[in-house]
Amino acid sequence: AGIDRPTSGKIISGGIDITKLPVQRRSVAMVYQQFVNYPSMTVFENIASPLRVAGVPRSEIETRVKQAAKILRLEELLDRNPSQLSGGQQQRTAIARALVKRAALVLLDEPLANLDYKLREELRDELPRIFAESGAFLVYATSEPMEALLLKGTAIMLHEGRVIQVGSTEEVYWKPNTNQSARLFSDPPLNELEIRKQGTELLLADNRPLPIPMKLPKLADGNYRLGFRADALNVGERGSGRSSFPGTVALAEINGSETVVHVNVGFATLVGLSFGVKEWAQGQKVNVWIDGAKVFVFDGAGKRVASSVAMKTD
């Protein structure tokens, strides 16, 4: 975007070295998390501004602005100034301005973060279509796993300034290379347990057997870290035979159509995800059991060495 100069190397876009090109000559558009609009211009003029700079004919500007406004539901707001808009409307104006430019590369920094819940969900459903129609290469930054899964494409996992995994979004989600990658792609947080494999058994730190139906015959005996997402932890008043173990509800969070429940099982506090509204009371006694088909095993360095997770393709 031209904000920083690289200390070394080159930036190649469309086979062209743009490292030293001025921003005006780069086919790049950007949408920030905090909406940025020209306060003295109407919504129409804000969206049209990059087209006017590029010398696009007036008739084409009119057509392209109205097309973008229709996609972003701004048709009735084109004559207003930004000060007359809600935050969500201002962000939609910024997105429309980026898309109308028809740049080869569009950079989006968590563009839905400041929108209200209903509009955010609606736009999430529409964005894949909007992006496909734009014909641009899009780099979309998000900290929300479900948003990344919805948009699909290629996922680039970043941690502390370093790329830790690259692959299709589904592959990175179902087959994280490291526990850090799994953590980044888990909401609620990833459950992790220190375990030891001994023969055919998985043992907890205190040498108790971990009641989980999972076979790892090719994994050498030794110490590992078990990881599983919240949807792999089942919580109920009745267990699942010998694979369940008792716990106490520490916290239950109702999140729309889901309930996130934190359960203290003695050796750890685990987080489970239940579909529907479940009114678990604090201190309530429950049984939990881990779905052995949704478990990752990481070594001491955090590298995934085994997994029972089957990648979903539907």
Side-chain angles (χ1 to χ4, degrees):
I3 297 172
D4 286 322
R5 289 182 179 273
T7 53
S8 61
K10 295 180 180 180
I11 304 170
I12 308 296
S13 178
I16 300 172
D17 183 357
I18 65 169
T19 314
K20 296 181 181 179
L21 274 182
V23 178
Q24 298 89 328
R25 293 178 59 194
R26 299 180 183 187
S27 186
V28 177
M30 187 162 183
V31 180
Y32 299 88
Q33 179 177 335
Q34 299 292 339
F35 46 80
V36 180
N37 293 304
Y38 300 109
S40 61
M41 293 183 180
T42 63
V43 170
F44 183 98
E45 290 301 325
N46 264 283
I47 299 173
S49 57
L51 303 180
R52 298 203 188 284
V53 171
V56 175
R58 181 178 298 178
S59 59
E60 186 178 347
I61 289 176
E62 185 91 13
T63 300
R64 285 166 64 173
V65 169
K66 287 184 177 179
Q67 286 176 343
K70 183 177 181 180
I71 292 172
L72 274 302
R73 301 184 183 181
L74 294 166
E75 295 169 288
E76 298 179 0
L77 306 174
L78 290 175
D79 294 329
R80 296 190 187 182
N81 288 324
S83 61
Q84 299 172 293
L85 304 179
S86 68
Q89 291 166 342
Q90 291 210 49
Q91 185 64 303
R92 279 186 281 159
T93 300
I95 294 173
R97 186 175 64 243
L99 295 180
V100 80
K101 187 177 178 181
R102 295 181 182 174
L105 174 64
V106 181
L107 310 175
L108 302 104
D109 179 16
E110 300 201 64
L112 306 185
N114 291 336
L115 302 185
D116 62 77
Y117 177 80
K118 186 173 185 298
L119 179 59
R120 187 166 65 244
E121 293 303 305
E122 290 175 356
L123 270 179
R124 277 176 176 163
D125 291 338
E126 294 176 1
L127 282 178
R129 174 184 56 81
I130 294 171
F131 291 166
E133 291 177 357
S134 74
F137 191 95
L138 295 113
V139 178
Y140 188 107
T142 180
S143 57
E144 297 191 30
M146 294 306 106
E147 195 165 88
L149 286 170
L150 174 67
L151 296 174
K152 298 185 177 180
T154 298
I156 302 173
M157 305 295 288
L158 289 169
H159 177 62
E160 296 181 349
R162 295 181 180 276
V163 175
I164 60 174
Q165 187 170 353
V166 180
S168 73
T169 304
E170 293 92 340
E171 178 186 356
V172 174
Y173 181 81
W174 294 112
K175 300 292 183 181
N177 287 342
T178 64
N179 57 353
Q180 187 58 57
S181 188
R183 289 169 189 161
L184 291 176
F185 226 148
S186 296
D187 183 22
L190 184 74
N191 291 298
E192 296 183 71
L193 295 174
E194 297 290 343
I195 64 165
R196 187 173 81 258
K197 182 177 183 289
Q198 183 173 307
T200 59
E201 287 191 308
L202 296 179
L203 305 176
L204 294 166
D206 60 3
N207 291 323
R208 279 187 296 168
L210 178 64
I212 175 172
M214 181 181 182
K215 296 181 180 180
L216 300 168
K218 296 182 180 180
L219 193 66
D221 287 359
N223 296 322
Y224 298 95
R225 179 177 286 267
L226 200 72
F228 52 96
R229 295 191 173 97
D231 64 340
L233 184 74
N234 299 289
V235 182
E237 294 183 356
R238 294 184 178 181
S240 179
R242 291 188 301 170
S243 64
S244 68
F245 43 100
T248 304
V249 174
L251 175 68
E253 305 169 276
I254 297 175
N255 181 18
S257 60
E258 299 172 337
T259 302
V260 179
V261 56
H262 302 247
V263 181
N264 187 329
V265 294
F267 53 86
T269 297
L270 304 177
V271 181
L273 180 65
S274 301
F275 293 101
V277 175
K278 306 288 181 64
E279 296 185 0
W280 301 111
Q282 188 174 11
Q284 182 176 345
K285 301 299 182 182
V286 293
N287 284 297
V288 299
W289 59 100
I290 301 168
D291 186 342
K294 296 181 179 180
V295 172
F296 308 109
V297 181
F298 306 99
D299 64 15
K303 180 181 178 182
R304 179 172 58 84
V305 292
S307 174
S308 61
V309 180
M311 182 171 167
K312 311 296 182 182
T313 56
D314 54 353

